[in-house]
């Protein structure tokens, strides 16, 4: 459980194999232990998209060991901010939570060249989110 001083953020996408994984990795990388980070999907893939793993590696972040996770009601309930990643995913609604929709290109079935602009946009949005939360990025 998060404390008031440690906000929690959940990134949601259907397969939890691309955008939500990149967002969670960037937030973890840039916020360290100042934010509790989760990601999940309603129909998780078997593995993270290899082009996403490669694109994140280029940014200096290794997500090769990450595994897509199933979205649970408890994950939403335990999060202060829930960010969906343009997937039209269904998730439970709880009053008092902050819900955001980030419309981003889907990296599914794309090569690393197509993933890079989405990766860079996610990093930009994560830095903006940190500023909104009053948390200084570590790098």
């Amino acid at each position: 459980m998060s404390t008031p001083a440690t906000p929690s953020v959940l990134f949601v996408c259907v397969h939890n194999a691309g955008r939500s994984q990149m967002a969670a990795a960037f937030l973890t990388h840039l916020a360290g232990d100042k934010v509790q980070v989760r990601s999940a999907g309603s129909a998780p893939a078997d593995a993270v998209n290899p082009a996403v793993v490669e694109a994140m590696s280029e940014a200096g972040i290794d997500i090769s060991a990450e595994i897509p996770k199933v979205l649970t009601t408890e994950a939403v309930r335990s999060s202060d901010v829930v960010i969906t990643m343009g997937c039209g995913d269904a998730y439970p609604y709880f009053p008092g939570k902050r819900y955001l929709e980030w419309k981003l290109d889907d990296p599914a079935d794309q090569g690393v060249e197509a993933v890079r602009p989405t990766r860079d946009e996610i990093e930009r949005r994560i830095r903006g989110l940190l500023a909104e939360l009053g948390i200084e990025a570590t790098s």
Side-chain angles (χ1 to χ4, degrees):
M1 280 291 236
S2 67
T3 65
T6 306
S8 58
V9 178
L10 170 64
F11 297 99
V12 180
C13 198
V14 173
H15 300 298
N16 190 223
R19 293 166 285 192
S20 54
Q21 289 284 349
M22 287 190 282
F26 271 123
L27 186 54
T28 299
H29 179 74
L30 295 171
D33 61 0
K34 298 175 200 159
V35 178
Q36 185 179 31
V37 182
R38 298 177 181 90
S39 71
S42 59
D46 293 331
V48 175
N49 179 332
V52 167
V53 172
E54 183 178 346
M56 291 302 289
S57 178
E58 293 173 355
I61 301 172
D62 180 8
I63 63 169
S64 61
E66 293 298 323
I67 299 168
K69 294 164 273 313
V70 68
L71 177 63
T72 65
T73 300
E74 184 54 36
V76 177
R77 181 178 292 127
S78 300
S79 300
D80 299 310
V81 181
V82 178
I83 301 174
T84 59
M85 312 296 288
C87 305
D89 210 344
Y91 51 88
Y93 177 82
F94 294 101
K97 305 277 178 214
R98 181 175 176 200
Y99 291 90
L100 301 171
E101 169 69 23
W102 288 359
K103 295 189 185 302
L104 298 160
D105 291 337
D106 189 349
D109 302 320
Q110 301 292 320
V112 70
E113 298 81 17
V115 173
R116 288 181 187 121
T118 302
R119 173 202 63 201
D120 296 344
E121 177 62 15
I122 289 171
E123 180 181 10
R124 185 188 70 73
R125 291 183 189 206
I126 292 297
R127 289 181 182 279
L129 177 65
L130 284 170
E132 289 173 23
L133 294 172
I135 297 170
E136 189 174 331
T138 58
S139 57

